[in-house]
Amino acid sequence: MDRLHWYIDGNIARAKTQVGGTYKLDRDYKPVRVNMSCRIAGTGTTPTIVDILDDGVSIFNTMPALTPYQTDKSWTTIPEDALRQDSIITLDIVGVSDQDTCRDLTVELEVI
């Protein structure tokens, strides 16, 4: 199993596009799991939400999120669409905690 890995240092205080780098796929892959973790959890009522995009299109029906006070979570509810060779895979932060924000966010996409 391979992993695409993004790390965003510091406070995750606002929505951002193409954070933590991009990947160009060397072959076709199938996404199987997303692991999301942070060193310090956000607080409030709003989750920290991420989106992973394949050539600018989300790979999710429902985007992964860390709810307030949560430091790690994994998702396996990813559509089984293939990620094609030469696709550009990026990470967006689309939602942030509404009080104290999470810090030092890591997102991994496991693929086979």
Side-chain angles (χ1 to χ4, degrees), residues 8-112:
I8 301 91
D9 186 41
N11 284 336
I12 310 302
R14 64 182 175 90
K16 300 177 185 182
T17 59
Q18 294 187 5
V19 297
T22 62
Y23 290 93
K24 184 173 182 177
L25 299 181
D26 60 347
R27 64 178 178 87
D28 291 353
Y29 289 95
K30 178 183 164 200
V32 293
R33 178 189 323 269
V34 174
N35 301 308
M36 198 172 162
S37 64
C38 62
R39 186 174 57 83
I40 298 173
T43 64
T45 59
T46 307
T48 300
I49 305 167
V50 299
D51 194 8
I52 297 174
L53 300 107
D54 177 2
D55 288 334
V57 177
S58 178
I59 67 170
F60 303 111
N61 293 329
T62 303
M63 292 178 221
L66 284 177
T67 58
Y69 308 99
Q70 189 174 38
T71 57
D72 64 272
K73 184 156 183 179
S74 294
W75 289 262
T76 56
T77 54
I78 304 170
E80 295 187 19
D81 298 333
L83 305 176
R84 299 291 177 203
Q85 181 176 347
D86 295 325
S87 290
I88 302 298
I89 308 300
T90 58
L91 175 75
D92 289 355
I93 298 171
V94 297
V96 296
S97 299
D98 59 343
Q99 289 183 10
D100 291 331
T101 57
C102 74
R103 291 186 58 89
D104 304 333
L105 179 65
T106 299
V107 179
E108 287 184 330
L109 175 63
E110 294 181 11
V111 294
I112 55 172

